[in-house]
Amino acid sequence: MPRRNPKRQCRSRLGDGSEVSLYSADPGKGTAAGPVGTVDGDLGSQNPKTLLKRISRYVYETLKGQDKIRTLKLHGTKERIECTLQQISISEGGYQALSYVWGNPEQHSNAIVLDENGHELGYIPLTENLQAALCDLREAEEMTSKIFWVDQICIDQEGKEKNHQVALMGDIYRNAARVITYLGPAALGEEEEKRGIDLLYRLYEHFTDDYDLIYQARSLRQALPKKAEFPVTNLPEEFQEGHFDKGKYVAQGWRWLFQVAYYRGR
């Protein structure tokens, strides 16, 4: 697989035209977030207490229906993370759902929410992992669409809506045009990243016999009610309970990877 510098990506296309993408940054390379492990020079990385001196915490607009979610449009600004939010019905799709590990729960980074005229509405605190993901995705030229669903930003984490929105996450991933699994800067080395990509291919190949039925149904959502008819309905044996090599996979987060990227809805 040819290298993409400064970032690498692996995609697997699903039957309805949607994709699952495995994405990471090259070790030791400078990214939009600065060299790996740093966020110098990006205003989006300011501590919320510092940013609070000139801009307030973003106040979420109440969702206008039980089937409504928020999506964000990521702006191309280099100095900081900027986005606009909009409400859509889950069934509208058209967004890319980001799957990632929160990592350290401390939120020392920020996303600035703008209105349609570019005026600042407030900031949303981010974990370091998400800040790195957004910086990399912002700079990814192969991703022509910058419309995403990201839980930390699209769900009011302190509001009454949170429980209901979390309950919708299965539908949110199923209706996404693409699911992007972000592994973060490949600080552990190229071999570790290769294991993740190999795992993604292993799962993709395992479910190959199901794809004709998914194509016939014209979308994954319409195919899921017929999943009992699929030739392959279970995960590979080595990933099933009792066979799973926890030392090899769980410690590295691979179980999280395939459950979110492939086992969704099964």
Side-chain angles (χ1 to χ4, degrees):
M1 184 173 192
R3 287 179 60 118
R4 293 175 182 265
N5 289 324
K7 295 168 277 290
R8 290 192 296 276
Q9 185 180 14
C10 169
R11 297 177 182 172
S12 295
R13 187 174 294 276
L14 300 179
D16 57 351
S18 61
E19 295 177 342
V20 174
S21 298
L22 178 70
Y23 192 81
S24 72
D26 274 351
K29 300 289 186 179
T31 67
V36 172
T38 72
V39 289
D40 294 341
D42 192 328
L43 296 181
S45 67
Q46 290 181 350
N47 187 287
K49 294 181 180 179
T50 302
L51 194 61
L52 190 61
K53 295 179 179 179
R54 68 176 185 82
I55 184 173
S56 59
R57 179 78 173 260
Y58 177 70
V59 178
Y60 285 87
E61 180 182 356
T62 302
L63 291 169
K64 299 177 180 179
Q66 292 295 302
D67 66 334
K68 296 293 185 181
I69 62 173
R70 299 182 189 88
T71 59
L72 68 90
K73 180 177 181 180
L74 190 59
H75 293 201
T77 48
K78 305 288 186 180
E79 295 81 12
R80 63 184 187 180
I81 298 295
E82 291 183 352
C83 65
T84 53
L85 299 180
Q86 67 170 345
Q87 294 189 26
I88 66 168
S89 297
I90 297 179
S91 58
E92 292 181 38
Y95 55 88
Q96 302 167 103
L98 179 63
S99 174
Y100 63 101
V101 175
W102 274 53
N104 189 326
E106 295 183 6
Q107 296 174 310
H108 295 312
S109 302
N110 300 284
I112 308 301
V113 182
L114 307 178
D115 64 17
E116 295 179 353
N117 298 316
H119 299 139
E120 295 177 347
L121 297 177
Y123 73 88
I124 297 175
L126 309 175
T127 61
E128 182 179 348
N129 279 5
L130 179 55
Q131 192 264 348
L134 293 176
C135 285
D136 282 333
L137 295 175
R138 179 184 62 190
E139 299 300 312
E141 296 179 357
E142 62 269 31
M143 294 184 184
T144 55
S145 172
K146 300 299 181 180
I147 306 297
F148 300 95
W149 178 87
V150 183
D151 57 355
Q152 278 188 56
I153 296 176
C154 296
I155 298 176
D156 182 355
Q157 299 295 321
E158 299 180 351
K160 297 179 180 179
E161 70 180 46
K162 183 176 180 179
N163 289 341
H164 178 67
Q165 287 287 294
V166 169
L168 294 177
M169 287 179 64
D171 288 333
I172 291 172
Y173 282 108
R174 277 189 288 269
N175 283 279
R178 176 194 292 170
V179 174
I180 299 170
T181 300
Y182 183 78
L183 300 183
L188 296 180
E190 193 168 318
E191 182 61 28
E192 191 70 11
E193 180 180 351
K194 182 179 182 299
R195 290 178 62 206
I197 292 175
D198 289 344
L199 171 60
L200 193 62
Y201 277 133
R202 170 75 176 93
L203 292 166
Y204 180 76
E205 292 172 354
H206 176 77
F207 291 110
T208 296
D209 292 341
D210 290 349
Y211 298 152
D212 283 344
L213 289 177
I214 296 175
Y215 280 120
Q216 293 172 17
R218 303 185 65 181
S219 76
L220 184 60
R221 186 179 186 185
Q222 294 179 27
L224 284 175
K226 302 178 182 179
K227 62 184 179 182
E229 303 173 15
F230 287 5
V232 182
T233 59
N234 295 315
L235 288 167
E237 183 177 358
E238 64 265 33
F239 299 146
Q240 295 177 19
E241 292 295 334
H243 299 275
F244 200 77
D245 186 344
K246 294 185 178 181
K248 181 178 180 181
Y249 290 108
V250 174
Q252 303 300 332
W254 299 138
R255 185 170 191 176
W256 158 82
L257 167 61
F258 73 69
Q259 283 184 328
V260 173
Y262 276 89
Y263 206 53
R264 58 186 180 129
R266 287 188 176 278

